[in-house]
Each structure stands twice: as C-alpha cells, then as structure tokens.
C-alpha cells in the first residue's frame, strides 16, 4: 500500500484533546468529528487537509485519554497516515484497529518539513521525501497488520476472515 500527500507537521506530545477536543465528543458522527480535527492546534486544518495528506509529528503523538475519536477524526478528515518519532501505546492500538496506518520514524519532525510532499510505501518500508529527494527506511508492518489496514478496520478484517 502506498500513500502520497502533503505534510502537516506538529511537535511533541500532541494529545488526544488537541486532536479532537472533548467538547465535540457528544456526537457519534465521524464526519462531524473530522470537521474539528486538530482545531485546537491548527484552527484551519480541516479546511486545508486534502485526501491523502499526511501528519508528521514528534514524540508521544496521541498521548492523553484513550478515546478512539482521535484516530477516527484523523482518518475521516482524509489523512492517509501519521508519521511520528513515537506514539502513545493506546493511540497506536486504536489507530491500527480503525485502519489508520501509523509509522514510527526516528527524528521524523527534523527530517520532514511542513508542506513537504512525501510518499509512504508500507509494503516495502520506505518513506520518500519527494520535496527534498531523500528516502528513509522504516519497519514494514507484519502481514497480518497490513491485511487489517487494507481491510479498513479490525471489524472489517474479522468479518472478511470469517467469510474465508
């Protein structure tokens, strides 16, 4: 699976309240959540982001409460994947469970700038910065995780596994 998009870059310790503020958690509409994604740290994010774009951040992305709303709002906003130095463990699992690819890349925030165009090849474990003409090796996801992401979510993966 490959993704190409423009980068929205953020710093360390982006927490789930910044990804989707708690004041919007009274809705079950994924589209409504996406409208407010990142608004407390980037007020115009939902207006600027295009399908396929990529979030790059520093350390501990997704820290804070364990709400699934955070990765859902990112995915539904059109973001194809998130690249960060490290992720909060619960956010990591929630993101994979809803089919949002997340990639750990050491010093991602130093290597990739806001607005860069990058290509992510999950199958081969490569991130290419097309703007800077630089390539980084990442650990590819194990086959079962690739199948889960390709299915779109853990629930879709389970459903398709039962049919086979």
């Amino acid at each position: 699976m490959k993704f190409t998009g423009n980068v929205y870059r953020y710093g360390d310790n982006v927490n789930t309240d910044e990804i989707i503020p708690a004041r919007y958690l009274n809705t079950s509409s994924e589209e409504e959540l996406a409208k407010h994604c990142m608004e407390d740290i980037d007020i115009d994010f939902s207006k600027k982001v295009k399908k396929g774009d990529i979030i790059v951040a520093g350390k501990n992305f997704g820290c804070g409460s364990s709400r699934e709303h955070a990765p859902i709002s990112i995915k539904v906003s059109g973001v194809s994947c998130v690249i960060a130095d490290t992720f909060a463990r619960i956010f990591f699992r929630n993101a994979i469970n809803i089919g949002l690819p997340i990639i750990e890349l050491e010093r991602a925030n130093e290597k990739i700038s806001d607005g860069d165009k990058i290509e992510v090849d999950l199958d081969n474990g490569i991130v290419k910065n097309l703007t800077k003409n630089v390539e980084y090796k990442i650990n590819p996801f194990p086959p079962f995780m690739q199948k889960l992401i390709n299915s779109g979510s853990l629930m879709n993966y389970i459903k398709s596994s039962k049919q086979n």
Side-chain angles (χ1 to χ4, degrees), residues 41-150:
I41 59 173
D42 187 350
I43 188 71
D44 294 322
F45 176 80
S46 67
K47 295 174 186 139
K48 300 182 294 186
V49 69
K50 304 280 188 272
K51 186 169 175 60
D53 284 346
I54 297 165
I55 290 176
V56 172
K59 296 174 185 160
N60 203 27
F61 187 87
C63 58
S65 67
S66 62
R67 64 181 69 132
E68 274 187 340
H69 301 76
I72 288 169
S73 70
I74 292 171
K75 182 179 177 181
V76 176
S77 75
V79 170
S80 61
C81 66
V82 179
I83 301 171
D85 288 9
T86 59
F87 292 90
R89 296 289 58 148
I90 293 174
F91 179 89
F92 184 96
R93 192 67 239 171
N94 283 339
I96 295 299
N97 284 346
I98 62 121
L100 175 66
I102 54 175
I103 297 146
E104 290 187 335
L105 175 63
E106 190 175 338
R107 295 182 11 251
N109 224 3
E110 296 171 26
K111 297 174 179 177
I112 302 170
S113 301
D114 196 50
D116 283 356
K117 186 171 194 159
I118 63 174
E119 177 185 272
V120 177
D121 181 344
L122 290 180
D123 298 330
N124 295 304
I126 298 170
V127 173
K128 290 182 187 176
N129 187 323
L130 302 174
T131 302
K132 296 177 180 172
N133 196 29
V134 180
E135 189 174 290
Y136 307 104
K137 187 77 178 135
I138 57 171
N139 291 325
F141 286 143
F144 80 93
M145 284 178 74
Q146 287 186 27
K147 288 178 186 174
L148 191 153
I149 289 168
N150 290 338

